[in-house]
Amino acid sequence: MKKALLVFLIICSRILYAQSDCISAISICGNSDISYTPSGPGNILEGIGANSCLSSTENEHFSVWYSFTAATSGTLAFVINPVIDTDDYDFAVYGPTTNGCTSLNNNNIFVTPIRCNFTGTGSSQGNTGLKLTIPPPPPPNTNGSAGNQAEWSPHMVVQAGETYYLVVDNYRSSPDGFSLTWTGTASLSSAFNDPALAPFPFVTPGLPAANPADPNEVTVCSVGTAFNFLSLSTGIINGNSTNFKVSYHKNTNDAITGGNPVGTEVVNLAAVYYYRIVYQDPLNPTNPMNGCFITGKFKFRDGSFTLTNATLTSCSNNYSGTATYDLTTAAIGAGPTHVLKYYPTMFDLNAGTNEITSPAIYQFVSAEGKIFVKATNEFGCTATAEITLKFHPLVVVTDASLRTCFLETNHSLGIFNLNNAPVTTLAGAIKKYYPSLADAVSGTNEILTPLTYTAPTGVIYIKVINGQGCYSIAKVTLTVISPVYSNVLQDKIICMEDKTTLDAGPGFTGYEWSTGATTQSISNVAVGTYWVKLKTGDCIALQEVKVYASEQPVISSVDISNTSITVNVIGGAPDYKYSMDNINWQDSNVFTNISRGDHKVYVKDAYDCDPIDITVIVPNLINVITPNGDGVNDVIDYSALSGKKGLVLSIFDRYGTKIHQADKSNGYKWDGTVAGKKIPTGTYWYSVTWNENDKKNTPFKFSGWVVVKNRE
C-alpha cells in the first residue's frame, strides 16, 4: 500500500522550535498533508552524528523530526524530493521503539540509525531516501550507512505496530522545502484511515475556488463582522468520532503544532487560513494514534451583495385606484440564483411575516406605494431593496351622449356612429366598443361595426387605451330621436264637392308635401290622402293626413199620413235640415198640409253639403167605399202604384188585426170582403208600403182610414 506525505519546509530563521526535537516529533498519519517550516536544530542537540552517517561535527542544521507507526506489515520506502534541486537534504531513521525517544537517546547520544544518508558537506543534491530496489542489509545492522548507495539507502521491512522516528536535516539551511513520498506494501497507522473512527470523509470547509489549485473558499456575508471559526467544525468532522477535534490557525507552523488557535475574529479575505484535525483518545493515553493529525487550508470570500431600489409602473385601469404588478420584473439587480421574497413592509420583511406569495404577473394587485424584497443567494447571504409602485398617467375619459334619428322602418331604432362620441382628447388612443361595462372590462362581445351601430335608446361603453396599454371606460348614452309629428294636422271631413286647407303648424325647420309644396300649409285640397315630411333638426318624420268626403245622410223611410209627410233620416252628421223647395229649410222632419201628387223633399246634414233629395208621392186618399156593384167607390185600388217595388196594401180592423192584403196577385185592390164575404160596415185602417226605385230603395209608407159601407 502506498502512502504519500507532502511536506514543504521553509527555513526562515534560526529560532529553535520543538518540532526539531525527537521528544516532540511530528506524528505522521496516513495521507497527512503537513507543511511545517523548521528554522533551526531544536532545543535539544540529540547528537545524531555520533552513531550515524550524519557528520558528528555538523550535528543538526534545519531539522524536523517525525514519528510513524506501521499499521500493516510490509516493505516501506520514501523519497525526499527538494523543491529546489540544489538543496542538500540528509536523513536518519531510528527504531523500532516501544518507548519513544527515550529508548533511542543515551545522554543525548542517539543509537545507531537503521537507515541513514549523508554524502558530504553539501555536495549531495537532488532526491534522496529509501529505495525498494535496494535490499535491506542483513541483521544486525550496526553501521548506519550500511547499504547506502550515494543518495539512496535500502528499504525497510516493518511489522504492524512498530514505531519509528525519522529526522530530516537541511544541510544548506536554505529557505526551501521538500516533498516526502512513501512507497511500499506497508501502510502507516492513522486514525483518519480507521473506518471505526472515521467512517465518513473529512470535509474541507467552503466551496472550490475558481482556480482548482487555490484553497476552498468559505463564504461570509458580512466582511466587517467577527466570524466564529468553530462554526465550521461540525461540517469538517462530518459525523466521525468525537475524539477528532478541530482547531484553526493562521499559518502552517501553528496548524502543525496546534499553536495560536483562532476562535472568533474579523476575517481577512486575502489571507489563507488553516484547520488542524487531531485525534486524541482521552481513555487511552498510550494509543499510538493519539496526536495523529491532518491539516488543511481554506480562504474566505465575500458573499455579500447589494440590491438596487427600483420602480415599477403599471396601469390603474378605469380609475380603479389599483394596478396589477409583476414584482419579479423589478430591476433590483438580483442574480439568477437568488431566491426572492416580497413583503408589504420592512417590518414584515425583517419578521418574515405576511409574505406576498403571488408576485408574478397578473397576480399582485396594489395601490401606489412601496414593496420590500429580500434576496438570498446560494451562500445564504441576504440583501434587501425597495420597490416603488407607481401608476402610468391615467387615461382621462368623459362620459358622452349620441343622438340619432329614428329608422323609418322601426322608430325605436337608430344608426349611430360611435366614433363620434367625444369621450377623450388623447392623441393616438385606441378605442374599442362594448354593449356592457362587464364586456368592456373583460374585452368580450366587442362591437365590430361602431360606425354604423344600430341600436335603440340605451347605453354602450367605450374602452380608451393609451400607448402603455392602460385604459379607462366611458359610458355613452344613446338616444334615438323619436319622430316629431304635427299635433294640429288632423284628418278632415269635407263635402265631396268642397276643397279645404291642410296646415302642419309651426315649429318645424322644413316641410315637404306630397303635392310638392314646401310651405307650412297647402290649400284647395280635395278629398284624398296626403303626406308631409316634417323636418326637426336633422330628422324628418313622414306624417300622413286624409281628407274624407262627409257621409251623406240617407232617407231611410218616408211616412205619409193623409196630408202629412214624415221623413226619416239616418247617416251623415246630425242635426239635419229639411226642405221641400231647397230654399226654405226647417229643423223638423215633418211636413204638413201637403197636397196630393208628387213632391220633392231635400235633406242635408251638419256639413251643409249639397242636399240629397227624394220624390214623394202623396196618393189620392179614399176614405169611403161602398162595394155594392154600382161601379162607384166599390174598391180601394192602388194599382196605379204597381211600378213601385214591393207594393203592398194592408187592411186592419179596429183591433189592429190584418184582415186583407192587396198585392200583385189581386191587382193591388180590395173590395171590402174577406174570403169572399162582405165585412161589416165600419171604419178600417189601411197602409200602403213600397220601396222607392232609388239607390237606397227608400221605403215609403202611406197610411189612412176608410169607411166600408155594405148593404145587407
Side-chain angles (χ1 to χ4, degrees):
M1 180 178 181
K2 184 181 295 184
K3 296 291 179 179
L5 171 65
L6 179 61
V7 182
F8 293 97
L9 302 178
I10 309 299
I11 301 174
C12 300
S13 67
R14 290 191 174 270
I15 300 175
L16 302 179
Y17 287 89
Q19 276 66 32
S20 292
D21 293 321
C22 178
I23 60 174
S24 55
I26 298 171
S27 297
I28 295 178
C29 296
N31 293 338
S32 293
D33 181 4
I34 301 174
S35 183
Y36 179 69
T37 306
S39 58
N43 296 324
I44 302 173
L45 297 178
E46 285 90 350
I48 58 175
N51 296 307
S52 71
C53 64
L54 301 181
S55 171
S56 61
T57 58
E58 295 294 337
N59 290 319
E60 300 177 62
H61 304 87
F62 276 13
S63 60
V64 57
W65 283 81
Y66 300 100
S67 66
F68 56 91
T69 301
T72 59
S73 302
T75 60
L76 186 64
F78 56 82
V79 176
I80 298 173
N81 182 13
V83 174
I84 303 300
D85 283 342
T86 57
D87 280 348
D88 180 6
Y89 278 95
D90 303 314
F91 68 89
V93 179
Y94 299 89
T97 176
T98 59
N99 195 22
C101 289
T102 302
S103 61
L104 303 178
N105 187 351
N106 183 14
N107 293 323
N108 289 333
I109 302 300
F110 265 59
V111 299
T112 301
I114 60 173
R115 297 289 186 273
C116 187
N117 189 310
F118 178 80
T119 58
T121 58
S123 60
S124 176
Q125 299 176 1
N127 294 354
T128 186
L130 306 182
K131 273 190 177 183
L132 291 174
T133 56
I134 302 176
N141 178 21
T142 59
N143 184 357
S145 60
N148 179 32
Q149 298 181 6
E151 293 87 4
W152 300 98
S153 295
H155 70 270
M156 300 190 300
V157 177
V158 298
Q159 301 299 317
E162 292 179 342
T163 298
Y164 295 86
Y165 285 80
L166 167 66
V167 59
V168 179
D169 185 62
N170 184 346
Y171 183 85
R172 291 180 178 271
S173 299
S174 67
D176 306 307
F178 63 90
S179 64
L180 180 62
T181 302
W182 296 88
T183 58
T185 60
S187 63
L188 301 181
S189 176
S190 173
F192 297 92
N193 293 334
D194 188 337
L197 300 176
F200 309 109
F202 293 88
V203 179
T204 300
L207 297 173
N211 183 354
D214 291 339
N216 277 13
E217 294 176 335
V218 174
T219 302
V220 290
C221 298
S222 178
V223 176
T225 302
F227 179 79
N228 181 8
F229 283 78
L230 299 180
S231 64
L232 304 175
S233 298
T234 300
I236 295 173
I237 298 298
N238 193 27
N240 293 309
S241 171
T242 56
N243 290 340
F244 291 102
K245 305 297 179 182
V246 184
S247 59
Y248 304 90
H249 309 273
K250 294 183 179 180
N251 55 62
T252 55
N253 282 4
D254 287 342
I256 291 175
T257 63
N260 301 313
V262 178
T264 299
E265 65 176 52
V266 176
V267 301
N268 180 358
L269 297 180
V272 176
Y273 292 86
Y274 300 84
Y275 64 93
R276 179 179 191 264
I277 309 173
V278 61
Y279 180 82
Q280 194 69 48
D281 184 357
L283 301 180
N284 186 8
T286 62
N287 187 335
M289 291 186 293
N290 285 344
C292 183
F293 69 92
I294 60 174
T295 63
K297 55 187 176 180
F298 61 94
K299 295 184 68 176
F300 287 96
R301 65 178 170 190
D302 184 6
S304 65
F305 62 98
T306 59
L307 299 178
T308 303
N309 292 339
T311 298
L312 286 180
T313 306
S314 189
C315 299
S316 179
N317 290 324
N318 205 30
Y319 304 96
S320 64
T322 61
T324 301
Y325 296 91
D326 183 353
L327 301 182
T328 63
T329 63
I332 58 174
T337 61
H338 290 175
V339 176
L340 305 180
K341 292 187 176 183
Y342 303 84
Y343 299 89
T345 66
M346 183 58 76
F347 176 84
D348 286 321
L349 184 149
N350 291 330
T353 56
N354 297 317
E355 181 186 355
I356 298 170
T357 57
S358 56
I361 194 165
Y362 303 131
Q363 294 189 37
F364 183 67
V365 179
S366 174
E368 286 189 326
K370 294 183 183 298
I371 294 297
F372 300 87
V373 56
K374 178 180 182 180
T376 304
N377 65 12
E378 63 271 31
F379 310 114
C381 302
T382 62
T384 62
E386 181 181 283
I387 301 175
T388 300
L389 304 181
K390 300 289 289 182
F391 293 158
H392 285 301
L394 295 176
V395 179
V396 179
V397 298
T398 55
D399 292 344
S401 61
L402 290 175
R403 295 167 58 87
T404 192
C405 300
F406 60 90
L407 295 179
E408 280 293 338
T409 56
N410 188 338
H411 290 178
S412 66
L413 298 178
I415 297 177
F416 297 89
N417 183 349
L418 303 183
N419 202 37
N420 288 338
V423 296
T424 184
T425 59
L426 180 64
I430 297 173
K431 293 189 287 187
K432 294 188 176 184
Y433 308 86
Y434 299 91
S436 71
L437 180 60
D439 285 327
V441 172
S442 63
T444 56
N445 299 316
E446 182 181 355
I447 297 170
L448 300 177
T449 56
L451 302 183
T452 56
Y453 180 60
T454 302
T457 294
V459 295
I460 61 98
Y461 296 85
I462 300 180
K463 181 186 253 185
V464 181
I465 307 169
N466 66 10
Q468 287 81 33
C470 306
Y471 69 85
S472 289
I473 299 171
K475 181 174 74 173
V476 179
T477 301
L478 305 180
T479 301
V480 176
I481 301 173
S482 299
V484 179
Y485 296 108
S486 170
N487 56 8
V488 300
L489 182 62
Q490 304 291 334
D491 291 345
K492 283 189 173 185
I493 300 175
I494 64 172
C495 299
M496 177 62 81
E497 68 277 7
D498 286 348
K499 298 291 179 68
T500 188
T501 296
L502 296 177
D503 189 348
F508 298 97
T509 58
Y511 305 85
E512 181 184 347
W513 294 88
S514 55
T515 63
T518 57
T519 54
Q520 176 181 319
S521 63
I522 56 175
S523 57
N524 296 319
V525 178
V527 172
T529 300
Y530 303 87
W531 53 258
V532 61
K533 293 181 179 179
L534 303 173
K535 187 174 184 181
T536 304
D538 293 328
C539 299
I540 297 176
L542 180 68
Q543 184 170 346
E544 189 178 82
V545 62
K546 291 183 179 181
V547 179
Y548 295 96
S550 64
E551 181 183 358
Q552 289 184 312
V554 176
I555 299 174
S556 60
S557 64
V558 177
D559 293 333
I560 305 170
S561 178
N562 293 321
T563 60
S564 297
I565 298 175
T566 301
V567 181
N568 299 307
V569 179
I570 61 174
D575 295 329
Y576 304 110
K577 297 289 185 181
Y578 306 88
S579 176
M580 296 289 288
D581 59 7
N582 200 22
I583 297 173
N584 299 303
W585 296 87
Q586 66 181 39
D587 293 332
S588 175
N589 64 333
V590 178
F591 296 94
T592 60
N593 299 317
I594 304 302
S595 63
R596 306 296 182 222
D598 292 340
H599 298 276
K600 270 198 172 185
V601 175
Y602 298 90
V603 179
K604 62 182 178 181
D605 64 4
Y607 286 106
D608 196 24
C609 299
D610 290 343
I612 61 172
D613 62 78
I614 191 170
T615 300
V616 177
I617 299 175
V618 179
N620 186 26
L621 294 175
I622 300 174
N623 295 112
V624 178
I625 63 171
T626 56
N628 53 12
D630 62 2
V632 178
N633 293 330
D634 287 335
V635 297
I636 296 176
D637 183 359
Y638 280 97
S639 60
L641 298 177
S642 62
K644 303 297 184 181
K645 292 180 181 179
L647 178 65
V648 174
L649 168 63
S650 299
I651 307 298
F652 303 90
D653 64 15
R654 62 178 180 172
Y655 301 108
T657 302
K658 185 177 182 179
I659 61 174
H660 179 76
Q661 177 175 307
D663 52 26
K664 184 178 181 181
S665 65
N666 51 27
Y668 307 103
K669 299 176 182 178
W670 182 50
D671 60 1
T673 63
V674 176
K677 295 180 179 181
K678 292 181 180 181
I679 63 173
T681 297
T683 300
Y684 293 86
W685 299 95
Y686 69 92
S687 68
V688 181
T689 61
W690 72 88
N691 290 94
E692 191 60 43
N693 295 323
D694 57 17
K695 291 182 179 180
K696 303 296 183 181
N697 290 320
T698 307
F700 278 75
K701 182 179 181 182
F702 173 71
S703 60
W705 54 269
V706 64
V707 176
V708 179
K709 293 182 178 182
N710 283 316
R711 294 177 181 176
E712 299 294 334

